[in-house]
Amino acid sequence: MPPSLAYLVIREGARWTDVFRLVPGQVASIGRAPTNQIVMKDDRCSRNHAEVFFRDDQWYVRDLDSRNGTLVNEAQIHAEHPLTAGEVIRIGNSQLAFVHDLTKAFPESGSAVRTMPIPGMAATAVGIGDSDSSINVHEPTMITHRRVQTKFLEPIKDDQDAVPKAGRAAAKLCRLAFELAKATDPYTVAQIALEGLFEGSAVDAGAVLLLRRNATAGELRDADLEVVASQSSTSLPYHRISPFLAATVLREGEAVLARNVIGDSSVMSRDSRGEIQAVSVLCAPIRRMEKIVGLIHLYSTRPERMPDPDDLEFTLAVAETVGVALQNLKRRQELAENLNTVRDENVQLRQRLGAESEIVGASRAMQKVAEEISRAAPNNATVLIRGESGVGKELVARAVHFSSPRRKGPFVCINCAALSETLLESELFGHEKGAFTGAIGRKAGKFEAAHQGTLMLDEIGEMSPAIQAKFLRVLEGHAFERVGGSEPLKVDVRVIAATNRDLEKAVTEGIFRRDLYFRLHVLEILVPPLRKRPEDIAELAYYFFNRFTGETGRKLKGFTPKAMEQMMRYRWPGNVRELKNVVERAIVLAEGEYIEDNDLLLSKLPTSGDTVDVPSTPVDFKPCSLAEMERKHILAVLKSTGGNKSQAATILGIERSTLDRKLRRYEQNEQPQNRVS
């Protein structure tokens, strides 16, 4: 028998399992990596462990600097070792017997090896020892070609030699790209891709598999893949890709073509009967933005229908095109979702901005507010707007924004009292998809929406301590993260806060952060209640009268003197908001040409600054000076607020410093009377 005809018989444990024929001129590589001709499934075997080659009429084995070394007849080799018949190569826990004659491969079996001829091969081992044990000789499973980028997607050069089937493949790929661009969902994309692959490749079955949404980053596995669409041109159904081949392609990101895979479960999964039907396998990764998101798995079940390297090129080209189609599909879906969100927010913003466009009122108190707005508008300092509910704090904030250099930027408003802590955090800072139940997509927060504009936080005193801490960091210029995200974001936003609460008292009680209070209390605008500026009542009443008669089409002429007198005498606990609602209701219900006093629905609620009702005609009236009357009134108001000077000053309509000065004067006047002579 010529020395060039040789075999490697593999033994795993106590059983001989496979036989590989060695071909002169071809190097038989041995290792754990799937690119080797002889793949060893042994953790002690290196990825590229050793190789066997033929030179000068002699077979040699060479170790490839493996981690655990290569042994021949239990002696470790360090260079090229010439092989003689009967020697055993030991790699990890596996043995490879080198023989020229298969009948002499198993001397310890004590029985002859029955052989049968195979075309192109001297003999095939069929049985060893017992009639139940068998071993097959076959060509080794080979990955014959590997490609990262297909040449079909590269620009065609004039001097480039034509490749087989290149023209037809390019035409099919172009037509396939147009069809994929029109697909509206991943299933349609997968179906179109499979139809094109079956038309342009020598395969019988295949599928498109995509990574599940909950697939974790890191080492991807077969379990992370989900079959989106499958197809088979034979009577047999599609059989799923083997876990080993799937993990290999996902890890290395390369397309592979494997031939002669009959009986190799590492490349092809077994069917329900435990049989492997495929003879050749194609597998290509699907990439989206340089990230693998799935696989295309194809195989042939007939020896006469074998895919070639050009089929590998075409499959990889289709996989790249599918990745682009999936990326474009995802972008279209995101744009549609964002468009709906922006449209809804735009409608709400227009409704808010169209409610009122200017401040109404010519009283001295409102002139002072206008002066404070003009001073606060030009800079970027934080503004704190104070006032009772319904006085128009949002209107003042909007006036500050549209009078500032940020007028061309967005004006975004959010009510902190209307949302729970979790929802408020999501509204302010945004959230990532899946951050919490109901988060079906990424959402930008109000801070992002107000970039290069103004963000108004109404009812800032209702913000929880946890949100206060995160909000303070953003005010200090630090980056923030969306809920459920890790990407730091930084925005250019001017913050205007508004409240009707006593923040000083909240700080003292520990429910509002002291550092946040001082960060907000840079510029302050105090909006007086409507009862403190009665001269504006008539102007506001007619402003709303003209507005609502125009909207409703009612032909009314105005208010009767008695109705106007009643409105002037009323203390308006709901402030401007209540006046607006009262006028709107009166216009709808008025029966005559004028609004009568009985058309006005006025409540009996006390105002937030009321203490006790003062009799219209005091019974125990005693004459006193105005200064004494002022002193008694200030001390009574201070007592009703529990000694809170800031709240008392707000009720009295004076500055806190003015109140402190008056109280010191009262104390000095009382001290001489309390001295003991």
Side-chain angles (χ1 to χ4, degrees):
M1 186 172 293
S4 60
L5 183 61
Y7 303 91
L8 286 177
V9 185
I10 299 178
R11 181 173 185 170
E12 295 180 353
R15 187 170 179 269
W16 298 94
T17 58
D18 285 308
V19 176
F20 289 89
R21 189 177 67 141
L22 299 174
V23 180
Q26 295 183 7
V27 178
S29 58
I30 308 171
R32 186 162 42 86
T35 53
N36 294 286
Q37 286 183 310
I38 304 175
V39 180
M40 311 296 292
K41 302 174 184 178
D42 189 338
D43 291 337
R44 298 189 61 194
C45 178
S46 299
R47 290 178 57 82
N48 298 290
H49 197 105
E51 61 184 10
V52 178
F53 58 94
F54 188 77
R55 186 181 65 201
D56 300 331
D57 295 330
Q58 175 67 49
W59 286 98
Y60 293 86
V61 61
R62 175 166 52 205
D63 184 78
L64 299 177
D65 296 327
S66 62
R67 181 179 59 185
N68 296 314
T70 303
L71 286 74
V72 176
N73 294 336
E74 302 302 326
Q76 187 169 353
I77 62 174
H78 300 283
E80 298 177 357
H81 177 81
L83 292 171
T84 58
E87 288 187 322
V88 177
I89 304 171
R90 187 179 185 88
I91 295 177
N93 296 319
S94 302
Q95 300 177 17
L96 298 88
F98 175 78
V99 295
H100 295 292
D101 187 354
L102 285 177
T103 61
K104 301 178 181 179
F106 316 100
E108 73 278 11
S109 65
S111 62
V113 177
R114 292 176 285 112
T115 63
M116 59 179 292
I118 289 182
M121 189 176 296
T124 299
V126 177
I128 307 172
D130 299 335
S131 59
D132 294 336
S133 62
S134 62
I135 183 169
N136 294 325
V137 179
H138 57 80
E139 292 286 346
T141 299
M142 286 188 218
I143 296 176
T144 56
H145 292 78
R146 303 174 73 90
R147 293 284 295 182
V148 176
Q149 177 65 49
T150 173
K151 61 187 179 183
F152 290 155
L153 296 182
E154 298 174 354
I156 299 177
K157 300 178 181 179
D158 295 336
D159 58 348
Q160 185 176 355
D161 295 332
V163 296
K165 302 191 295 184
R168 286 177 294 164
K172 292 174 183 176
L173 187 62
C174 181
R175 185 173 66 253
L176 189 64
F178 277 103
E179 294 297 325
L180 290 173
K182 296 185 291 184
T184 57
D185 56 84
Y187 173 77
T188 306
V189 170
Q191 286 283 43
I192 294 174
L194 287 176
E195 291 174 2
L197 287 166
F198 274 63
E199 181 184 350
S201 304
V203 295
D204 300 325
V208 174
L209 303 93
L210 297 180
L211 291 176
R212 303 179 189 274
R213 291 184 177 181
N214 57 355
T216 57
E219 190 71 18
L220 297 174
R221 302 172 300 169
D222 167 67
D224 297 322
L225 292 169
E226 180 179 9
V227 177
V228 178
S230 62
Q231 190 171 328
S232 176
S233 60
T234 67
S235 59
L236 298 174
Y238 164 76
H239 294 301
R240 187 180 175 89
I241 187 173
S242 70
F244 178 76
L245 182 59
T248 301
V249 176
L250 288 173
R251 181 179 63 253
E252 300 187 5
E254 295 180 341
V256 298
L257 166 62
R259 297 179 178 180
N260 302 312
V261 299
I262 299 177
D264 193 341
S265 60
S266 67
V267 180
M268 192 67 196
S269 296
R270 298 181 183 273
D271 61 13
S272 59
R273 296 171 295 179
E275 299 178 357
I276 297 177
Q277 303 293 338
V279 296
S280 296
V281 176
L282 277 168
C283 189
I286 300 174
R287 298 182 182 87
R288 189 172 68 198
M289 302 293 290
E290 303 300 326
K291 182 179 179 181
I292 295 179
V293 297
L295 300 176
I296 290 180
H297 176 226
L298 305 169
Y299 60 87
S300 173
T301 60
R302 291 173 289 178
E304 68 275 8
R305 184 177 170 82
M306 299 273 283
D308 56 24
D310 286 337
D311 292 328
L312 174 68
E313 296 279 355
F314 184 68
T315 303
L316 183 55
V318 173
E320 297 288 352
T321 308
V322 169
V324 174
L326 291 175
Q327 176 64 21
N328 292 337
L329 184 62
K330 181 182 178 183
R331 286 177 177 173
R332 289 201 301 268
Q333 293 173 344
E334 290 178 348
L335 287 173
E337 293 174 359
N338 293 337
L339 182 61
N340 291 333
T341 301
V342 171
R343 184 182 292 113
D344 294 340
E345 292 180 350
N346 200 18
V347 170
Q348 297 174 5
L349 183 60
R350 288 180 180 275
Q351 290 175 349
R352 290 198 302 268
L353 293 179
E356 293 99 4
S357 59
E358 59 182 9
I359 297 176
V360 178
S363 64
R364 179 66 188 95
M366 292 310 297
Q367 291 178 7
K368 184 179 180 182
V369 171
E371 293 172 0
E372 293 174 347
I373 291 173
S374 63
R375 288 196 296 266
N379 56 72
N380 287 323
T382 305
V383 179
L384 178 61
I385 303 176
R386 293 193 176 198
E388 297 177 7
S389 179
V391 296
K393 296 187 291 294
E394 182 179 345
L395 190 60
V396 173
R398 193 180 296 117
V400 172
H401 168 73
F402 287 107
S403 301
S404 71
R406 296 174 176 265
R407 66 177 65 89
K408 294 183 179 179
F411 176 81
V412 181
C413 181
I414 181 172
N415 191 329
C416 300
L419 301 171
S420 64
E421 178 178 339
T422 304
L423 291 178
L424 178 59
E425 183 178 10
S426 171
E427 286 294 319
L428 283 176
F429 307 110
H431 63 252
E432 297 288 347
K433 182 178 181 181
F436 51 84
T437 303
I440 60 175
R442 171 184 287 182
K443 178 181 178 180
K446 299 301 183 184
F447 269 103
E448 292 181 72
H451 181 59
Q452 295 184 339
T454 304
L455 173 63
M456 179 194 175
L457 299 175
D458 199 6
E459 307 298 346
I460 188 71
E462 306 297 331
M463 188 180 288
S464 67
I467 306 298
Q468 291 177 29
K470 191 171 182 179
F471 176 56
L472 176 61
R473 283 187 54 82
V474 181
L475 283 182
E476 295 290 350
H478 296 281
F480 64 93
E481 299 171 355
R482 299 189 187 98
V483 178
S486 59
E487 179 185 359
L489 303 172
K490 203 166 185 179
V491 293
D492 175 22
V493 173
R494 181 184 189 178
V495 173
I496 298 179
T499 182
N500 60 0
R501 294 186 58 179
D502 186 351
L503 292 184
E504 290 82 0
K505 183 179 180 181
V507 171
T508 304
E509 295 175 351
I511 60 177
F512 197 83
R513 294 180 62 98
R514 182 181 296 270
D515 47 4
L516 178 57
Y517 167 77
F518 288 114
R519 185 63 183 81
L520 292 173
H521 200 260
V522 179
L523 297 175
E524 182 179 88
I525 298 178
L526 180 63
V527 184
L530 187 56
R531 64 182 177 276
K532 297 294 183 180
R533 46 188 180 104
E535 55 269 40
D536 291 334
I537 294 177
E539 185 176 357
L540 283 167
Y542 275 102
Y543 172 81
F544 293 125
F545 175 85
N546 294 329
R547 173 180 168 182
F548 292 124
T549 52
E551 292 180 1
T552 60
R554 294 294 306 272
K555 304 298 182 181
L556 300 178
K557 296 182 178 180
F559 301 90
T560 64
K562 194 173 182 179
M564 183 57 67
E565 180 183 356
Q566 187 174 358
M567 287 192 294
M568 295 293 293
R569 208 169 47 239
Y570 184 60
R571 292 185 58 80
W572 299 107
N575 292 294
V576 180
R577 182 185 293 119
E578 183 185 8
L579 175 59
K580 169 189 170 184
N581 295 333
V582 166
V583 173
E584 182 178 12
R585 179 185 180 279
I587 290 174
V588 174
L589 299 180
E591 297 179 356
E593 294 182 344
Y594 291 88
I595 295 177
E596 302 285 348
D597 57 332
N598 55 6
D599 295 327
L600 303 175
L601 182 62
L602 304 178
S603 71
K604 297 182 180 180
L605 294 174
T607 63
S608 59
D610 288 343
T611 54
V612 294
D613 291 334
V614 180
S616 57
T617 306
V619 178
D620 54 346
F621 174 75
K622 295 181 180 180
C624 64
S625 64
L626 290 176
E628 181 64 17
M629 179 64 74
E630 180 189 65
R631 185 185 71 84
K632 290 180 180 180
H633 180 66
I634 289 176
L635 294 177
V637 173
L638 186 62
K639 182 179 179 181
S640 68
T641 61
N644 190 310
K645 296 180 181 180
S646 298
Q647 187 175 354
T650 302
I651 296 173
L652 293 169
I654 60 177
E655 298 291 339
R656 167 70 181 269
S657 59
T658 303
L659 178 61
D660 289 335
R661 187 170 61 253
K662 290 179 179 293
L663 292 176
R664 286 196 298 269
R665 186 171 68 247
Y666 300 154
E667 291 176 358
Q668 292 173 359
N669 293 338
E670 290 179 356
Q671 286 177 0
Q673 300 177 7
N674 295 332
R675 293 176 184 172
V676 179
S677 58

